[in-house]
Amino acid sequence: MSDTPLPPASGPLHLGQTSSLPASPEEAVLDYVPNPRREGLYLVRFAAPEFTSLCPVTGQPDFAHLVIDYAPGETIVESKSLKLFLGSFRNHCGFHEDVTVGIGQRLAQEMQPRWLRIGGYWYPRGGIPIDVFWQTAAPPEGLWVPDQGVASYRGRG
């Protein structure tokens, strides 16, 4: 993901525009806009309860509930571009760990937030649910970080 295209310097690529779903995460362009509250410490949360990617071994679909929390620095990620980026994983083969951590690392590298964490709560296939967590560092002092609110998988019981 290091050869990822950056948004044009002239402004956001997707905001207010008709945009197609990228064919792959590598082709997806994430837009960042100036943080309107740079002086404050606050948390932004994105939840994607219907995230999908493909198993790299079987090609079968994998489903997850992703929760992305971050404390913005100079920029914030534009939500439409994030939605398109996450949607581009629909035909992407990757292990749960690689997909979850890769999304977090790409956002952290490009956006340079003060702090970021991602929780990937993967639904079981083959009987084993896998939850994957990654963060850039310990949360900044004074940042309110609520629980991600996704319960561990307990089956139908």
Side-chain angles (χ1 to χ4, degrees), residues 2 5-7 9 13 18 22 33 35 43 45-46 54 67 85 94 101-102 114 123 127 140 155-156:
S2 60
L6 295 175
L13 180 65
T18 301
V33 296
N35 178 359
L43 184 110
R45 171 169 290 165
F46 289 103
L54 299 175
V67 180
F85 170 59
V101 174
R114 293 167 78 173
Y123 294 94
R156 290 192 251 172

Side-chain angles (χ1 to χ4, degrees), residues 11-62:
L13 180 65
H14 301 292
L15 187 61
Q17 306 296 320
T18 301
S19 301
S20 299
L21 189 66
S24 70
E26 294 77 24
E27 293 178 22
V29 176
L30 285 155
D31 284 336
Y32 303 93
V33 296
N35 178 359
R37 299 287 178 174
R38 278 183 219 125
E39 72 286 349
L41 179 61
Y42 65 98
L43 184 110
V44 176
R45 171 169 290 165
F46 289 103
E50 298 177 341
F51 179 84
T52 60
S53 65
L54 299 175
C55 173
V57 176
T58 66
Q60 295 293 311
D62 286 325

Side-chain angles (χ1 to χ4, degrees), residues 98-150:
D98 184 45
V99 170
T100 305
V101 174
I103 291 169
Q105 287 178 334
R106 176 158 172 196
L107 287 167
Q109 178 185 3
E110 291 181 15
M111 183 173 32
Q112 298 292 307
R114 293 167 78 173
W115 176 79
L116 182 140
R117 77 172 174 184
I118 183 170
Y121 302 85
W122 294 84
Y123 294 94
R125 215 167 43 79
I128 300 175
I130 299 173
D131 296 337
V132 181
F133 308 99
W134 181 82
Q135 66 182 18
T136 55
E141 187 164 337
L143 179 66
W144 177 49
V145 183
D147 182 80
Q148 290 193 328
V150 182

